[in-house]
Amino acid sequence: MPRPPDRVYVLGRDKAEFDRDDGTGPTGESRRDAEPDPDDDRPPHTARIGSFLARDGSAGAAVGVDLDRPHAGVVFGKRGTGKSYTLGVLAEEIADADGVAPVIVDPMGVFGGLEAAGGRVVDPAVRPASIPPSTWPDLLGLDPASGPGSLVWRVVADAVDGGSSPSLATLREAVDAADAPAETRRAAANHLRLADSWGVFDGDAPPVASLAADGDPSVLDLAGVPDAAASAVVRAVARSLYDARVAGSLPRLPWLLVDEAHAFFGGVADPALRTLLTRGRAPGASLVCATQRPAALPSVAVSQSDLLVSHRLTAARDVDRLAEAEATYLAGDLAARLPEGVGEALVVDDATETAHTVRIRERRTPHGGESPRASRLSDSERQ
């Protein structure tokens, strides 16, 4: 039986759930606690991201993404095709839903417009103790087997084992007082001073889980932050959100949305992101990785994702990475089905074992991802 035309097709929600009409969740709990909005016809806990794209180019039925359960997803697209825009649409929708909270990693400084949706742009600050002691040598570019590397490892481990939240100044004092050669102490202290200059470590920083406490978008502005520092922040945020859900100290289901995600795999953030990909759904933590370079993502990012959104791709390596998502239930070549238009995307939905072409809806908040144009600057000068 065909679905009624006024219903929203929900990606990530299996057929049995989609066809239920009793308004309850997968375990039978009510999803109608709040007074329904007469102007909002989407199902509860659904992110309405756009509409089906008909063959004649017109908009078809509305399309949403399931927010009732946690998911792992990827958003692909070459520069200028709408990748970051789509991530912003998803953030807007998560902010409007109950029981979930979006945390956005913004390496390019393009998501500040989410302040119009009640969001906040956060200068990233994490506690040094949120980075495991064994990771500190790698973070500082030190060999963990060297004198300075092993000293930093030991000093951080001693501080964390004591149950404190040390500042970098405290760690430097511990290095200066350590029983080690002067050259070793000097090198270790200099590297800790370098980390201090990044401006992202604060022993008194609020817990990371507070970013997702009220459901409003939290944008981690990493524009201009050194790569190592940005990776440290992403490592701390991803792991802390996961641990908070495991411990039961975060009542909302967090969605970590990472733009330019390829930059954070292969470094100190890699283990935490892989944990969210492979184990995050069990405690209720979602991860969406957006990138213009799919080939630079590890294979696990595609294999573990139950939602895949791909705008236009042209590089052969990136198309090959997309091909890894092909499954037996999909007929034909996914790469050949990629749309050409800006704002159009191919969506692969593992829950319903289907692929669809979708036109992403317009943002309700300002989008900062458009490239500057010299023509516009010259026009303003003439005025």
Side-chain angles (χ1 to χ4, degrees):
M1 177 182 296
R3 296 185 175 95
D6 59 339
R7 296 187 67 185
V8 178
Y9 187 96
V10 184
L11 304 167
R13 191 171 297 166
D14 63 33
K15 296 180 177 67
E17 286 185 75
F18 186 93
D19 290 332
R20 295 184 67 169
D21 294 323
D22 60 0
T24 60
T27 58
E29 73 275 15
S30 173
R31 295 195 304 212
R32 294 175 178 169
D33 297 333
E35 190 69 24
D37 183 350
D39 296 325
D40 190 356
D41 60 353
R42 60 186 168 185
H45 295 99
T46 299
R48 189 164 183 168
I49 63 168
S51 58
F52 287 124
L53 187 63
R55 291 184 179 179
D56 63 1
S58 62
V63 177
V65 171
D66 172 61
L67 299 179
D68 196 38
R69 293 181 175 180
H71 296 277
V74 289
V75 180
F76 295 156
K78 65 180 295 185
R79 184 176 181 178
T81 58
K83 162 189 62 69
S84 297
Y85 193 97
T86 297
L87 206 64
V89 168
L90 185 57
E92 290 177 348
E93 294 291 319
I94 297 171
D96 280 347
D98 294 329
V100 291
V103 178
I104 302 95
V105 173
D106 185 8
M108 306 299 292
V110 301
F111 290 96
L114 288 170
E115 288 181 313
R120 53 188 172 267
V121 177
V122 179
D123 288 329
V126 296
R127 299 179 181 181
S130 64
I131 305 298
S134 60
T135 302
W136 272 95
D138 187 27
L139 175 62
L140 299 180
L142 293 169
D143 181 352
S146 69
S150 62
L151 177 56
V152 169
W153 184 339
R154 185 172 76 249
V155 162
V156 176
D158 289 343
V160 172
D161 289 344
S164 65
S165 178
S167 65
L168 289 183
T170 301
L171 295 177
R172 288 201 307 271
E173 290 173 0
V175 164
D176 290 337
D179 182 14
E183 287 187 2
T184 298
R185 288 186 278 114
R186 184 165 52 250
N190 285 340
H191 280 81
L192 287 173
R193 287 191 184 91
L194 172 63
D196 201 13
S197 71
W198 296 339
V200 300
F201 290 112
D202 181 356
D204 297 321
V208 168
S210 65
L211 296 172
D214 57 9
D216 292 330
S218 291
V219 179
L220 295 169
D221 185 5
L222 295 177
V225 175
D227 292 345
S231 293
V233 170
V234 174
R235 166 72 178 253
V237 170
R239 185 70 207 198
S240 295
L241 291 176
Y242 174 82
D243 289 342
R245 282 299 305 171
V246 170
S249 58
L250 180 58
R252 294 179 179 272
L253 302 187
W255 282 67
L256 182 61
L257 312 179
V258 184
D259 199 17
E260 304 299 335
H262 60 272
F264 302 107
F265 284 95
V268 298
D270 189 288
L273 294 176
R274 288 176 183 265
T275 294
L276 284 184
L277 284 170
T278 58
R279 292 186 283 164
R281 278 168 281 189
S286 298
L287 174 65
V288 179
C289 296
T291 180
Q292 58 182 302
R293 295 176 54 197
L297 287 184
S299 296
V300 68
V302 175
S303 64
Q304 291 293 325
S305 293
D306 58 330
L307 292 172
L308 185 151
V309 179
S310 183
H311 297 275
R312 188 183 180 200
L313 295 171
T314 53
R317 292 179 60 201
D318 295 333
V319 173
D320 289 343
R321 181 50 49 87
L322 173 65
E324 294 179 11
E326 297 210 32
T328 57
Y329 56 79
L330 296 175
D333 181 6
L334 278 183
R337 298 170 62 180
L338 289 177
E340 295 288 329
V342 174
E344 300 172 0
L346 180 70
V347 179
V348 180
D349 177 20
D350 198 50
T352 57
E353 300 185 348
T354 53
H356 313 277
T357 303
V358 172
R359 175 177 290 155
I360 303 299
R361 69 158 176 80
E362 290 188 7
R363 288 272 301 269
R364 296 191 293 266
T365 57
H367 175 57
E370 187 177 11
S371 298
R373 296 186 181 181
S375 58
R376 292 178 181 174
L377 295 177
S378 60
D379 289 342
S380 64
E381 288 177 354
R382 285 194 293 269
Q383 294 174 358

